[in-house]
Amino acid sequence: MPVEIIGYIGNHNASETIPASGPVINLEHIAAAATIHENGGFDRVLFAFHSTSPESILIAQHVAAITTKLKLMIAHRPGFTAPTLAARQLATLDHLSNGRVSVHIITGGNDQELAQDGDHLTKDERYARTSEYLDIVRSEWTSETPFDYAGRYYTVDRGHSNVRPQGPDGIPIYFGGSSDAAFTVAGKHADIYALWGETHAQVAETIKRVREVAAPHGRSPRFSLSLRPILAETEEAAWAKAARLLDKAKALRASASGERLINVNAKATGHQPPNEGSRRLLAAAAQGARLDKRLWTEMAALTGASGNSTSLVGTPDQVADALLDYYNLGVATFLIRGFDPLEDAFHYGRDLIPRLRKLVAERDGELDRAEAAE
């Protein structure tokens, strides 16, 4: 199974350790990030969604226009665009980009953020709406004739689209969410189920559960894991770098210049976060700062695990080996982004991605030879 590597293109240069500055949409940063990722061997890049952020589909369209082979992973929240229109928007961009589009469905676990867009449904209601939404999106992409749909949240009469995804396999649907309601939707709709960087035991548990809920639908989703690798020439230097990053994040959160970042990333308050994914990361962090071979949890603990915030720390060879452990559990896609978005993406492309691809090829080759010998 070939491994897929996904990067991240933000709208400007910022992270937990870098204060946001300059325009909200920094075209120079976006262009530099696109070039680094395309030249660095990334397969695809994520464009994030938030209730206060620039629109992810439009940023992705811009990147598609300034690249030639880099694929797109567009975070998209159901409920604010009619599913028929969203399906046509994505299919149109798929044609304009020559088949490079995928969509990452994020239903949303934070009631306060959802309310900023005027959504006041409960979490379970939002996931039920997401399921209907994706029913309709897939029908728009695949139905040869006009279709009707009657659900609780959507009713479509004679829906039909003249534009469909370009490739024979359609537009891949990535899906995130760790609640019971999310698993129900994932089993029916996810082509790739996305996890944050959890422990081996947590990842194995989730993979097992998703496979169980997908089986009745005759589906076999792939799995993606999101991490923030921290690399250095020696293991000691890598852990020292992690400590410096943590100090920077603490200083930024304490400063006035960090207010914008804190507001976006949800300042840790000591209260349990509303979404299950964050609670799972905090449960891992409660086990210790360093777990398994080299999973680092202190940044997640500091930020309240408000996003993808755990790291693998070590030399490029060590981190590639740690990623291979997850591959052996069934993870075939890795979303990797750094605390210094441009510099880290360059180093991932130069030092980490080739090593990981080599390890995966060697591992798969060994399995092939073993199966041929049986």
Side-chain angles (χ1 to χ4, degrees):
M1 183 188 305
V3 67
E4 179 186 45
I5 308 297
I6 302 177
Y8 170 79
I9 294 181
N11 304 308
H12 49 257
N13 195 42
S15 76
E16 294 86 343
T17 64
I18 298 175
S21 62
V24 173
I25 298 176
N26 187 324
L27 292 178
E28 291 183 357
H29 171 80
I30 293 170
T35 299
I36 290 170
H37 282 87
E38 185 159 58
N39 293 342
F42 287 81
D43 298 293
R44 196 180 294 275
V45 284
L46 168 66
F47 301 90
F49 179 98
H50 189 273
S51 60
T52 62
S53 67
E55 218 297 307
S56 54
I57 291 180
L58 297 179
I59 300 294
Q61 180 181 5
H62 173 67
V63 169
I66 61 175
T67 57
T68 59
K69 59 184 179 180
L70 189 64
K71 296 179 182 179
L72 316 170
M73 179 183 178
I74 302 168
H76 178 74
R77 181 168 289 162
F80 307 105
T81 305
T84 49
L85 175 57
R88 296 196 302 276
Q89 288 174 330
L90 292 166
T92 300
L93 183 54
D94 197 51
H95 280 266
L96 294 175
S97 65
N98 197 26
R100 290 187 277 156
V101 168
S102 69
V103 60
H104 180 40
I105 298 297
I106 49 168
T107 301
N110 187 319
D111 291 346
Q112 292 180 336
E113 187 210 342
L114 272 293
Q116 290 179 289
D117 269 329
D119 189 1
H120 299 277
L121 297 182
T122 67
K123 180 188 292 187
D124 286 355
E125 288 172 333
R126 290 196 297 267
Y127 277 107
R129 180 180 62 187
T130 291
S131 188
E132 291 188 13
Y133 191 95
L134 291 176
D135 285 341
I136 296 168
V137 165
R138 287 195 185 278
S139 293
E140 279 277 307
W141 286 343
T142 61
S143 181
E144 297 286 344
T145 58
F147 67 92
D148 296 333
Y149 187 91
R152 177 181 176 185
Y153 301 97
Y154 298 103
T155 300
V156 176
D157 297 326
R158 296 185 60 76
H160 187 61
S161 176
N162 291 326
V163 58
R164 299 179 187 176
Q166 185 186 69
D169 297 327
I171 291 175
I173 293 179
Y174 294 74
F175 184 89
S178 298
S179 66
D180 290 341
F183 282 121
T184 299
V185 182
K188 183 178 181 181
H189 288 292
D191 296 317
I192 304 96
Y193 179 86
L195 307 90
W196 282 338
E198 300 179 346
T199 66
H200 295 163
Q202 288 175 309
V203 170
E205 171 198 16
T206 297
I207 288 176
K208 180 177 182 292
R209 184 171 181 185
V210 172
R211 285 174 173 166
E212 288 173 349
V213 296
H217 299 282
R219 310 186 72 253
S220 300
R222 294 184 286 124
F223 295 90
S224 173
L225 191 74
S226 300
L227 288 157
R228 312 286 288 275
I230 297 173
L231 307 178
E233 292 185 0
T234 67
E235 182 173 10
E236 181 181 5
W239 285 111
K241 182 177 178 181
R244 291 195 301 273
L245 288 168
L246 188 65
D247 287 342
K248 286 184 179 180
K250 290 177 179 178
L252 180 55
R253 297 178 74 82
S255 70
S257 62
E259 284 303 310
R260 179 179 173 189
L261 179 66
I262 291 169
N263 290 337
V264 170
N265 284 337
K267 185 176 182 180
T269 62
H271 299 294
Q272 280 291 305
N275 61 304
E276 183 62 28
S278 293
R279 289 196 289 266
R280 288 175 64 88
L281 282 193
L282 291 179
Q287 298 177 40
R290 303 184 188 185
L291 303 174
D292 296 331
K293 280 184 180 176
R294 52 192 66 258
L295 182 68
W296 183 55
T297 67
E298 286 185 286
M299 191 69 78
L302 173 69
T303 61
S306 56
N308 167 22
S309 49
T310 51
S311 300
L312 295 177
V313 181
T315 68
D317 284 325
Q318 290 172 328
V319 172
D321 179 69
L323 289 170
L324 187 67
D325 290 338
Y326 287 108
Y327 182 83
N328 289 333
L329 291 174
V331 175
T333 294
F334 294 98
L335 194 161
I336 54 175
R337 64 185 182 100
F339 295 102
D340 188 327
L342 298 183
E343 182 176 335
D344 287 341
F346 171 79
H347 287 295
Y348 297 159
R350 187 189 68 181
D351 301 326
L352 180 59
I353 293 175
R355 286 171 164 85
L356 176 60
R357 293 196 192 280
K358 183 174 183 291
L359 288 178
V360 168
E362 290 173 349
R363 184 263 194 192
D364 289 350
E366 291 174 359
L367 288 181
D368 290 342
R369 287 190 292 273
E371 291 176 357
E374 291 179 355

